[in-house]
Amino acid sequence: MYGKIKIAPSILSANFMKMGEDIAMIERCGADIIHVDVMDGHFVPNLTMGVPFLKDLNKIAKLPVDVHLMISNPLEELPWFIAAGAWGITVHYEAFDDPATGIHEAIGLIHAAGIRACVSLKPDTPVEVLRPFIADLDMVLMMSVYPGFSGQSYIEGTENRVAEVVALCDELGCDVDIQVDGGIKASTVERVARAGADIFVMGSACFTAADPAAAMAEVRELGSAAGAEGAGRR
Ligand code: DX5
Ligand code: ZN
């Protein structure tokens, strides 16, 4: 939280017929992280990319590959995704039948592979559920839309939830990166950055921009300034 701003384009908004070109484009245009949205048609009502895609992506990607798993029963498939390769893996709290034991096991598997562990919350899951394990995480992903599709509008008030994550970390004496995902663009980034978020997923705002480099630079600039303001107030 309040770290250096990072921009993570979500390749769900890329042209799937020109995926290699689009990845090269974001790498050239100043992205920091490649955000991969894995959806299984059960946990969310959409079906996207999976393990074979991730394996090939890892062969060409120059940037860190961050995998956002929106799948039911993540413990069953986690070993496949870990083997495919990633810089970090995010699981959803709501995807576990028994989050109390499941999340702990997932964090253990991800960390045993030497990669970053992250847990994501849907917009209506209380931040308080993070308390038992947040100190073991590298990152929290706060959804600012209901997961499933790109191009949705930012849900107002997500910034208050980001502030709750910061407060929880302060109380527990831990620090995590806070990523926000959904509807992030120049007009929405400042409020979440001011609240303490530091990694911004950009799907449609990056790939539909006439000038993706300028769009990412603008979000980075606005986010950095607002983040500095927020840190100053603490
Ligand atoms: C939504 C995905 C997001 C999405 C972001 O379920 O997790 O990563 O692709 O797209 P935008 O930025 O267009 O909301
Ligand atoms: Zn995502």
Side-chain angles (χ1 to χ4, degrees):
M1 48 203 207
Y2 299 119
K4 189 170 176 289
I5 297 299
K6 293 199 174 76
I7 305 293
S10 160
I11 54 174
L12 184 55
S13 291
N15 180 338
F16 277 39
M17 294 300 110
K18 294 184 179 163
M19 189 54 87
E21 287 169 40
D22 275 2
I23 287 167
M25 182 276 288
I26 57 170
E27 291 186 328
R28 219 174 37 238
C29 288
D32 299 294
I33 295 167
I34 302 172
H35 182 89
V36 183
D37 288 305
V38 176
M39 304 185 185
D40 67 353
H42 294 276
F43 182 69
V44 288
N46 197 3
L47 202 54
T48 59
M49 53 280 256
V51 171
F53 175 88
L54 190 58
K55 280 187 182 155
D56 282 350
L57 173 61
N58 274 298
K59 288 180 202 154
I60 62 147
K62 297 190 182 77
L63 293 176
V65 172
D66 202 17
V67 180
H68 179 189
L69 290 182
M70 287 162 275
I71 62 173
S72 303
N73 308 315
L75 285 172
E76 272 175 34
E77 291 170 23
L78 207 41
W80 305 349
F81 284 98
I82 289 171
W87 169 75
I89 296 186
T90 297
V91 291
H92 264 267
Y93 177 85
E94 306 85 0
F96 293 88
D97 293 335
D98 179 5
T101 57
I103 294 271
H104 185 74
E105 202 179 321
I107 295 171
L109 282 172
I110 296 169
H111 277 164
I115 59 180
R116 285 163 50 96
C118 173
V119 169
S120 180
L121 301 186
K122 287 184 182 177
D124 51 7
T125 302
V127 168
E128 188 58 27
V129 302
L130 296 170
R131 182 179 288 273
F133 53 82
I134 191 168
D136 299 329
L137 296 176
D138 300 286
M139 180 169 83
V140 169
L141 195 178
M142 298 303 286
M143 292 304 304
S144 39
V145 297
Y146 285 90
F149 301 92
S150 54
Q152 303 181 75
S153 298
Y154 172 85
I155 296 176
E156 299 299 334
T158 304
E159 64 274 19
N160 301 329
R161 289 167 52 72
V162 170
E164 282 182 52
V165 177
V166 172
L168 183 60
C169 285
D170 285 348
E171 183 192 334
L172 299 176
C174 62
D175 191 6
V176 291
D177 290 338
I178 303 177
Q179 185 178 51
V180 179
D181 186 1
I184 295 298
K185 49 189 170 181
S187 60
T188 54
V189 68
E190 288 169 289
R191 60 198 94 168
V192 269
R194 200 171 289 122
D198 39 22
I199 304 184
F200 299 103
V201 177
M202 287 174 72
S204 44
C206 173
F207 287 96
T208 64
D211 183 347
M216 287 193 269
E218 186 181 17
V219 166
R220 185 193 301 281
E221 222 165 273
L222 293 169
S224 298
E229 264 172 55
R233 277 211 311 270
R234 295 176 78 211

